[in-house]
Amino acid sequence: MARVITYGTFDLFHEGHYRLLQRAKALGDYLIVGVTTEAYDKARGKLNVVDSLVTRIENVKKTGFADEIIIEETQGQKVNDIRRFHIDIFAIGSDWTGAFDYLKDYCQVIYLERTKNISSTMLREQNSPIQRIGIIGTGRIAERFIPEARLVSGVNTQGVYNPHLESAARFAQKWEINAYKEIEAFYEASDVIYIASPHETHFGYIQSALAHGKHVLCEKPMVLEKHQADELFGYAKQHNLILLEGIKTAYCPGFHKLLGIACSGTIGAIRNVEACFTKLENPRRRELTDTRYGGSFTELGSYVMLPILKLLGKEYTSIRFDTINDENGLDIFTKISLEYPSGIATATCGLGVKSDGRLLIAGTKGYIVAEAPWWKTAYFEVHYEDIDKTEKYSETFLGDGLRYEISDFLSMINGSSNSEFKLTRGESIALSEIMETFLQEKRGYRNR
Ligand code: C2G
């Protein structure tokens, strides 16, 4: 009896999948189908899967070809499955030709001709047309954004706007996109807008993009005053538009897993959160020369405040900023201390002082620690009184990580998932209020 195995996501189940399973079954007597989990697909960079795992399994089952369905959760599982299930033939579509030759040491490997002119990607695009992204700003983050956006199916980076025409033209040429002189023409040619301009320009650009009926993804800090955040979110909601603050940590799978574990009660009630992120910056850069809006807190504060707001909430009873300023009056190191009814927190950020960048969450039963770069969470540990009980968790973090927020932004636009909980409006508003308090104190200090 020949035993065959094949694997796939089987998203938006189509004829190509059906024919593949039919031929795989015909290769032997018993067919096992491995269906990928959402986490595994995310880890291998397949970000826009529409159907849930349950739906995808149901669809494979309905074909009647699978004698057994298993879940594919990790890379490297195939070898173990082949041994465990005594597989004779591994079959997969011809788009993978060569990729699974390493399995030839364990069984026969057959690449089946892929069915032409049909794919899940194509169906996803038909269901939800490609979103053309227009980018405002041409700085370092915009440079990182484009290669990441190109990995997310369903979006197309199409144009860039910057009132400094030369910068826009240079950027557009490098990335082979269009540069726009007129913002009206730019909006006309874009479906969604990504804002990566200097902090203080965000408010005006978000306002105008929303007024043009565009969904907006805006770099952190989204705005620097609470009333601005209130107004923008209010307008977006009223007009059914998505407005998302791009704090990449909030959307990355590892951070998500960490929050899930922290909130599950395994470390008991959370009493203390400490988050630190420092980055020694070139003193000539905007971050350390823009005396109004530069400095460590506006630059990195969103990252360090994020786990605190997520875990202890927005209702702090007191907040205090301690800063070390440079000769321009810019904060090169800032410590934020917060008190809550049943917990405390400190957030530390630095552009001119280096420290141990870690995230520590202390609870009544144990603690979680993630070392730098915890803001790109790939690994963390859970510790208890009994050191033998330490648990270690890892999660893939691909590239610069912007792909996760772009993918969530897109799913929210298409209505296929609601990722708003990853960074809620309330949390973004709280962040803007904290930015405002900080900047007011800083100005007050300077005016003294
Ligand atoms: N397929 C096909 N014809 C198409 C589309 C897909 O024959 N027009 C095949 C693929 O080659 C694959 C199977 O259908 O063998 C499932 O395809 P996907 O759902 O796209 O899954 P995939 O990403 O190919 O997963 O571990 C996962 C596997 O490596 C493959």
Side-chain angles (χ1 to χ4, degrees), residues 8-10 17 44 46 72 78 93 95-96 114-115 118:
T9 306
F10 303 104
H17 296 142
R44 66 192 185 116
K46 211 167 183 175
E72 187 181 25
K78 289 186 177 82
D95 46 326
W96 291 100
R114 191 180 156 86
T115 307
I118 181 89

Side-chain angles (χ1 to χ4, degrees), residues 1-6 24 27-32 81-91 103-110:
M1 187 169 109
R3 294 166 69 85
V4 183
I5 198 161
T6 190
L27 291 172
D29 308 291
Y30 192 83
L31 176 66
I32 301 179
D81 288 345
I82 288 169
R83 286 190 177 141
R84 193 155 62 106
F85 295 112
H86 308 290
I87 297 299
D88 303 295
I89 301 170
F90 169 87
L103 296 175
K104 284 182 181 164
D105 289 345
Y106 309 94
C107 68
Q108 195 185 344
V109 173
I110 298 182

Side-chain angles (χ1 to χ4, degrees), residues 6-11 14 16-17 20 23 36 40 44 46 72 78 91-96 100 112-116 118-120:
T6 190
Y7 295 86
T9 306
F10 303 104
D11 190 29
H14 56 68
H17 296 142
L20 187 285
R23 285 170 294 154
T36 58
Y40 178 50
R44 66 192 185 116
K46 211 167 183 175
E72 187 181 25
K78 289 186 177 82
I92 196 100
S94 56
D95 46 326
W96 291 100
F100 293 107
L112 295 166
E113 190 60 39
R114 191 180 156 86
T115 307
K116 298 208 167 42
I118 181 89
S119 72
S120 307

Side-chain angles (χ1 to χ4, degrees), residues 187 195 199-212 214-219 221-245 425 428-429 432:
Y187 284 135
I195 299 174
H199 312 321
E200 69 279 13
T201 63
H202 291 176
F203 176 63
Y205 281 132
I206 301 173
Q207 232 180 2
S208 90
L210 293 175
H212 284 78
K214 310 295 171 189
H215 302 289
V216 176
L217 171 63
C218 181
E219 261 312 314
M222 189 176 91
V223 285
L224 303 169
E225 289 173 29
K226 179 179 181 290
H227 76 95
Q228 297 177 333
D230 283 333
E231 180 191 320
L232 296 172
F233 279 116
Y235 184 93
K237 194 167 182 201
Q238 205 182 347
H239 293 82
N240 262 330
L241 293 167
I242 306 289
L243 170 59
L244 207 60
E245 180 169 11
R425 292 181 192 125
S428 270
I429 293 171
S432 67

Side-chain angles (χ1 to χ4, degrees), residues 164-404:
H164 304 286
L165 297 181
E166 252 177 54
S167 308
R170 213 177 316 120
F171 188 89
Q173 195 183 15
K174 174 168 177 192
W175 295 104
E176 297 179 337
I177 60 174
N178 304 309
Y180 292 88
K181 272 195 211 128
E182 302 297 333
I183 199 153
E184 287 301 323
F186 166 76
Y187 284 135
E188 188 69 32
S190 315
D191 302 307
V192 303
I193 305 295
Y194 169 64
I195 299 174
S197 53
H199 312 321
E200 69 279 13
T201 63
H202 291 176
F203 176 63
Y205 281 132
I206 301 173
Q207 232 180 2
S208 90
L210 293 175
H212 284 78
K214 310 295 171 189
H215 302 289
V216 176
L217 171 63
C218 181
E219 261 312 314
K220 49 89 206 159
M222 189 176 91
V223 285
L224 303 169
E225 289 173 29
K226 179 179 181 290
H227 76 95
Q228 297 177 333
D230 283 333
E231 180 191 320
L232 296 172
F233 279 116
Y235 184 93
K237 194 167 182 201
Q238 205 182 347
H239 293 82
N240 262 330
L241 293 167
I242 306 289
L243 170 59
L244 207 60
E245 180 169 11
I247 304 176
K248 69 174 176 214
T249 310
Y251 306 95
C252 96
F255 185 69
H256 211 50
K257 190 185 250 182
L258 181 150
L259 289 182
I261 290 172
C263 297
S264 71
T266 68
I267 60 162
I270 297 168
R271 295 288 184 239
N272 180 37
V273 180
E274 291 173 24
C276 176
F277 185 169
T278 65
K279 179 168 87 176
L280 286 188
E281 194 53 87
N282 178 340
R284 283 190 299 276
R285 283 212 181 270
R286 175 192 55 78
E287 292 86 336
L288 287 176
T289 51
D290 174 356
T291 52
R292 267 182 85 77
Y293 300 107
S296 66
F297 190 63
T298 49
E299 194 55 30
L300 301 173
S302 315
Y303 290 117
V304 289
M305 288 306 305
L306 176 72
I308 297 173
L309 292 177
K310 282 277 169 212
L311 293 166
L312 293 174
K314 308 182 289 284
E315 309 303 326
Y316 48 86
T317 49
S318 78
I319 184 164
R320 204 185 87 201
F321 301 94
D322 292 301
T323 60
I324 297 172
N325 295 325
D326 68 4
E327 56 279 8
N328 300 325
L330 269 172
D331 62 299
I332 52 165
F333 190 73
T334 295
K335 202 167 245 203
I336 308 100
S337 310
L338 296 104
E339 285 179 327
Y340 285 83
S342 55
I344 54 171
T346 46
T348 309
C349 44
L351 288 179
V353 175
K354 193 70 196 162
S355 187
D356 181 14
R358 58 153 54 174
L359 171 62
L360 183 72
I361 302 158
T364 51
K365 294 185 185 161
Y367 68 91
I368 297 177
V369 63
E371 303 294 349
W374 62 263
W375 48 93
K376 301 181 186 177
T377 325
Y379 179 77
F380 61 92
E381 293 182 359
V382 184
H383 293 254
Y384 301 95
E385 184 63 38
D386 180 351
I387 51 166
D388 294 334
K389 293 219 166 102
T390 301
E391 295 156 7
K392 299 173 179 188
Y393 293 88
S394 54
E395 188 61 77
T396 320
F397 180 88
L398 295 169
D400 262 319
L402 291 166
R403 63 193 68 181
Y404 304 113

